[in-house]
Amino acid sequence: MHHEPTSGTVPVHLRIADALRAQITSGELQPGQAIPSTKVLAQDWHCSVGVARMAVAVLMDEGRLSGGRGKPATVRRAPTRRPLTLSSDWSQLQKDMVHRPESERRERGAIELTAGVPISATNSSANYQQVLATPEIASEFDLPVGVEVVQRTYEMTDKESGMRLSWSVSYIPLEYIRDNPALLDESNEPWPGGHQHQLSTVGIEIDRFVRKVTAIQPTTGDRQVWHMEPGVPLLHVRSKSVDIEGRVVEMSDAVYPADRAEILYVEQLKRWDLERGQK
Amino acid sequence: MHHEPTSGTVPVHLRIADALRAQITSGELQPGQAIPSTKVLAQDWHCSVGVARMAVAVLMDEGRLSGGRGKPATVRRAPTRRPLTLSSDWSQLQKDMVHRPESERRERGAIELTAGVPISATNSSANYQQVLATPEIASEFDLPVGVEVVQRTYEMTDKESGMRLSWSVSYIPLEYIRDNPALLDESNEPWPGGHQHQLSTVGIEIDRFVRKVTAIQPTTGDRQVWHMEPGVPLLHVRSKSVDIEGRVVEMSDAVYPADRAEILYVEQLKRWDLERGQK
DNA sequence: GAGTGGTCTAGACCACTGT
DNA sequence: CAGTGGTCTAGACCACTCC
C-alpha cells in the first residue's frame, strides 16, 4: 500500500538525508550526538527501515556520521588534521644536512615520514626489492620499460595502537646507484638524512622536487589497515626528485588519510626592493 | 533456506566486490567493459539481487565502476587529471607582474583559476559581499570574531556544457583595503593581475603564500553542480597570503574534483656550490 | 534483555537504455 | 520490446552495546 505518489521526484532516502544534513549543519544536531534510530526514522517518514538505512548510509559516505555496530550513529566531530609540511624551507634544510655528520642526520632523519609523532613511539619496517619498471614507473623516469629499479616500501606504525601512521613506496633506477652497495642494505633504515644523502654518495645533487597531490577513494582493504571510517578519502602524493642535470632520479608515492593529515606548503616570494634591476 | 553457514565471517557482498575488484585490477575486466548484471551475479553467488547490488555499490563508491540508469555498470577509465600548478615560480611571476601595465596583466590575469582552459570558452561570475568574520575565518586572520571582511565568490563554467570548472571563495579584511574603493567593484572581474595587484594598490606587499591541501567527500549537491560521479573526492585548497609584516591579508578556499584536477608544485633547492659560506 | 545497526531475502514497481 | 539498474517493502537473523 503506497501512501503518496512519492510527491516529487527526489527519492525518499535522499530527502531524509537532506533533512538530517540540514540539522547537522544548522547545529540542531551537535557533534557526538546520536541521530534517531533507523526504526524511528522509518516511522517519522512513513517508509521502511531499509530506506532509512539508505539515508544514514548517504551521510556516512559523506563523512558526516560515524557509526554503528550496536551503537547508534552519531554526528562525527570535525577531524583534527596533522599538517604535513612539504615546504621548500624544510627540503632545503634536509639538503643542507647532507654534508653534516651522521649523528646529526640520524637524529632528524625520519621526521620526513612521521609528521610530528615521536620516532620512539613508532615501529617502522622497510623492504627492498629489485623490480622491473612498469610502464607507469618508466614513463616517470623517462626510461625504457623494464629497466631495473630499486623499490623501497616503508611503513610506520604506532607502537601502542598498532595503527598505521605512514606508508610510502619509492623507486630509484638501479643504474644511478650501482656504485654504492650500502644503499641496498635494509639495516640502514630509517635512512639517515633521507634519500638526498644517499644519492649524494654517488655524486647526485638534487635540484628540485616536483610533487603532485590528488585524492582517491580507499578500498575496503585500505580502510582496514588505516582504521579509517567510511567517507574519508586518501590523499595521494607523488614526488619526483630531479637532479641538477634534469634527470628524474627518484620517485615516490605516499598516501595519507584525509581526516588526519593535510598537505601544507609555503611559497616564498622575493621582496620587491631586493630584486630591483635583476632579471 | 541457507546454503552454507556463510563459511567465513566476511559478508557476501564484500566478497563479490573483492572478486570483481581483482578482475578489474588484473585486467580481466577492461576499462569500458560492462560487468555482469546484478541478476547474473546473484545467480553466480547464490544470493539475492539486493546483495549483488550492494557489491557493485561498493565498487561505485571506490570510483572503479561508472554507470547505471538503464545501462549496465562499466569499468571506469582511468581519469585524466589537469595539473593545477601552484609553484613558487608561477607565484613569483604574478608578483613581478604587479608593476607591469594593465594590458599585460589583464591578458594573463585569470589563468589562476582556469587551469588550462581558454578563457574565451568560459563564463565567469563573481559576487562581492561584506560579511562578518565567523570564528573560523577570524582565527585564520588572527582578528576578533565579527570583524568586517569582504567576501568574494568566484565561479567559472564551461560555455558549451555549462559544467562548473572552478569555484572559490576568498576573504580580505575590510580594514586593509578601505582606502581603495575600486577593490569592491564587481565589474573589474576577473581581477587583472589577481589579488596581489589589488593589494599592492593599498601598499600591501605579499611575502609568501601558505597553502593547505586536503580532501573531502562531496555531498549529493556538490555532485550535481560538478557533474561528478560517485566515488570521486573533492580536493580542498586553503591559501593564505601573508604580507611582509607577517599579517594574513587574504584567505581563500577552492575546491576541485579529484578526478579532473591534481595539485602540482615544485620545491626549488639552492645549489651546493652557490651557498658555500652563506647562512 | 532491549535496543541498535549490519546483513540478507524475495519479492514489487519504476525509469531508463538499447534494438 | 526485453534488459538494465534505482527505489522500496516487510519481513528475518545476527552481532554488538549498554544497562
Side-chain angles (χ1 to χ4, degrees):
Chain A
M1 183 225 280
H2 293 163
H3 302 263
E4 299 144 66
T6 331
S7 71
T9 168
V10 180
V12 177
H13 71 269
L14 289 183
R15 281 196 295 222
I16 303 177
D18 289 345
L20 287 174
R21 193 187 302 112
Q23 286 182 298
I24 292 171
T25 57
S26 78
E28 193 173 339
L29 284 170
Q30 289 290 322
Q33 190 176 343
I35 68 167
S37 75
T38 52
K39 220 165 282 182
V40 172
L41 285 174
Q43 288 167 6
D44 291 355
W45 290 82
H46 307 292
C47 67
S48 69
V49 293
V51 171
R53 287 204 75 261
M54 293 170 78
V56 323
V58 168
L59 297 177
M60 291 270 198
D61 287 345
E62 288 178 10
R64 289 183 151 76
L65 296 180
S66 103
R69 197 45 39 88
K71 286 180 291 194
T74 56
V75 179
R76 189 181 289 181
R77 298 165 190 288
T80 60
R81 307 175 204 264
R82 288 183 285 116
L84 206 75
T85 305
L86 296 178
S87 69
S88 297
D89 284 353
W90 190 87
S91 300
Q92 184 66 48
L93 195 72
Q94 283 286 104
K95 180 164 183 175
D96 294 343
M97 286 217 306
V98 162
H99 293 137
R100 299 300 183 82
E102 171 166 341
S103 59
E104 187 176 344
R105 295 201 316 269
R106 187 169 288 281
E107 183 185 352
R108 311 216 216 164
I111 301 174
E112 177 177 13
L113 294 155
T114 61
V117 178
I119 304 179
S120 56
T122 63
N123 287 323
S124 69
S125 69
N127 173 271
Y128 284 77
Q129 214 173 340
Q130 198 166 312
V131 299
L132 303 182
T134 64
E136 185 188 3
I137 296 172
S139 78
E140 294 284 7
F141 286 112
D142 202 19
L143 289 174
V145 175
V147 77
E148 289 171 304
V149 297
V150 178
Q151 173 189 274
R152 168 191 182 247
T153 58
Y154 189 83
E155 182 177 358
M156 290 189 81
T157 53
D158 187 81
K159 263 182 189 163
E160 273 189 60
S161 62
M163 272 177 62
R164 178 189 279 184
L165 294 173
S166 76
W167 180 90
S168 67
V169 54
S170 70
Y171 302 91
I172 300 179
L174 184 61
E175 59 189 90
Y176 295 160
I177 56 172
R178 211 186 293 266
D179 295 340
N180 188 348
L183 299 190
L184 307 175
D185 184 359
E186 298 186 9
S187 64
N188 283 337
E189 292 292 337
W191 285 4
H195 70 269
Q196 277 211 66
H197 179 263
Q198 306 302 312
L199 288 168
S200 75
T201 63
V202 289
I204 292 178
E205 177 180 358
I206 307 287
D207 177 67
R208 61 184 182 274
F209 296 112
V210 178
R211 305 198 199 264
K212 287 187 223 169
V213 180
T214 188
I216 55 175
Q217 205 61 6
T219 69
T220 49
D222 293 332
R223 284 218 197 85
Q224 282 178 15
V225 296
W226 287 101
H227 293 93
M228 293 170 68
E229 301 193 65
V232 176
L234 277 177
L235 284 169
H236 177 250
V237 182
R238 167 160 296 184
S239 299
K240 290 195 283 187
S241 304
V242 183
D243 76 351
I244 56 176
E245 296 172 17
R247 296 182 306 181
V248 176
V249 293
E250 186 259 2
M251 189 267 277
S252 73
D253 284 318
V255 294
Y256 312 91
D259 63 341
R260 289 168 235 169
E262 63 189 359
I263 314 293
L264 184 149
Y265 65 99
V266 178
E267 295 176 24
Q268 184 67 51
L269 303 178
K270 297 189 205 118
R271 291 287 181 85
W272 283 330
D273 53 9
L274 295 180
E275 64 171 356
R276 291 260 181 267
Q278 87 183 39
K279 161 41 179 320
Chain B
M1 185 225 279
H2 294 165
H3 302 262
E4 301 144 64
T6 331
S7 70
T9 169
V10 179
V12 177
H13 70 270
L14 289 184
R15 282 197 293 221
I16 303 177
D18 290 344
L20 287 174
R21 194 187 300 111
Q23 286 182 296
I24 292 171
T25 56
S26 78
E28 194 174 338
L29 283 170
Q30 288 291 321
Q33 191 176 344
I35 67 167
S37 74
T38 51
K39 219 165 284 183
V40 171
L41 284 174
Q43 289 167 4
D44 291 354
W45 290 81
H46 306 292
C47 67
S48 70
V49 294
V51 171
R53 287 204 75 261
M54 293 170 78
V56 324
V58 168
L59 298 176
M60 291 269 198
D61 287 344
E62 289 177 11
R64 290 182 150 76
L65 296 180
S66 89
R69 197 45 39 88
K71 286 180 291 194
T74 55
V75 179
R76 189 182 292 182
R77 299 166 190 288
T80 60
R81 306 175 205 266
R82 286 183 286 116
L84 207 74
T85 304
L86 295 178
S87 68
S88 298
D89 283 353
W90 191 86
S91 300
Q92 184 66 49
L93 195 72
Q94 283 285 104
K95 179 163 183 175
D96 295 342
M97 286 216 308
V98 161
H99 293 136
R100 300 299 184 82
E102 171 166 342
S103 58
E104 187 176 345
R105 295 201 317 270
R106 185 168 291 280
E107 184 184 351
R108 312 215 217 165
I111 301 174
E112 179 177 14
L113 295 155
T114 60
V117 178
I119 304 179
S120 56
T122 64
N123 288 323
S124 69
S125 70
N127 173 270
Y128 285 77
Q129 213 171 341
Q130 198 166 313
V131 299
L132 303 182
T134 64
E136 184 189 3
I137 295 172
S139 78
E140 294 283 8
F141 286 112
D142 202 19
L143 289 174
V145 174
V147 76
E148 289 170 304
V149 298
V150 177
Q151 171 189 278
R152 167 192 181 246
T153 58
Y154 189 85
E155 180 177 359
M156 290 189 79
T157 52
D158 187 83
K159 263 183 187 163
E160 273 189 58
S161 62
M163 273 178 61
R164 179 188 277 183
L165 294 173
S166 76
W167 179 91
S168 67
V169 54
S170 70
Y171 303 90
I172 299 179
L174 183 61
E175 59 189 89
Y176 295 160
I177 57 172
R178 209 186 293 266
D179 296 340
N180 188 348
L183 300 189
L184 307 175
D185 184 358
E186 298 186 8
S187 64
N188 283 338
E189 292 293 336
W191 285 6
H195 70 269
Q196 277 212 64
H197 178 263
Q198 306 302 310
L199 288 168
S200 75
T201 63
V202 288
I204 291 178
E205 176 179 0
I206 307 288
D207 177 68
R208 62 184 181 274
F209 296 113
V210 178
R211 304 197 200 264
K212 288 187 221 167
V213 180
T214 188
I216 56 174
Q217 205 61 5
T219 68
T220 49
D222 293 331
R223 284 218 197 84
Q224 282 178 15
V225 296
W226 288 101
H227 293 92
M228 294 170 68
E229 301 193 66
V232 177
L234 276 177
L235 283 169
H236 178 247
V237 182
R238 167 161 296 184
S239 299
K240 289 196 284 189
S241 305
V242 183
D243 76 351
I244 58 176
E245 295 171 17
R247 296 182 305 181
V248 176
V249 293
E250 186 259 2
M251 187 267 276
S252 73
D253 284 318
V255 294
Y256 312 91
D259 62 342
R260 291 168 232 169
E262 65 189 357
I263 315 293
L264 184 148
Y265 65 100
V266 178
E267 293 178 26
Q268 184 66 52
L269 304 178
K270 298 187 204 118
R271 291 288 179 84
W272 282 330
D273 53 8
L274 295 180
E275 63 170 358
R276 291 258 183 268
Q278 83 183 41
K279 152 55 184 312

